[in-house]
Amino acid sequence: MAFFGLVGNDQKMASTTYSERESASERAARRRRQGHHRNAAAADRQGQAWESAERARQDRGSWWRR
């Protein structure tokens, strides 16, 4: 019954077997950070496009200012 040898040595097994691997919580945090950076860049581009359109609208004027 080799299974009973595995019970109770989780910390020792984790320190040797998974020592070079990224943990699931670290990987999830890294992906969240990367997602925020992607969203920030997209939001910045969207804001710049809105600003350009708004300036063009203001510079163009209405029918009574032509």
Side-chain angles (χ1 to χ4, degrees):
M1 290 260 175
F3 173 75
F4 292 111
L6 295 176
V7 176
N9 66 347
D10 292 340
Q11 290 180 341
K12 185 178 97 177
M13 191 169 146
S15 66
T16 58
T17 306
Y18 304 110
S19 61
E20 299 295 322
R21 293 184 61 185
E22 182 180 32
S23 71
S25 58
E26 290 172 349
R27 182 174 59 242
R30 178 177 48 81
R31 288 181 177 175
R32 276 194 304 274
R33 286 191 304 271
Q34 289 173 344
H36 287 303
H37 289 285
R38 259 195 318 275
N39 292 340
D44 186 42
R45 283 193 298 273
Q46 186 179 14
Q48 289 292 331
W50 177 85
E51 183 181 4
S52 298
E54 186 67 13
R55 287 188 190 278
R57 186 186 66 79
Q58 288 174 354
D59 291 343
R60 187 172 52 242
S62 299
W63 61 271
W64 61 84
R65 284 193 261 165
R66 289 185 187 173

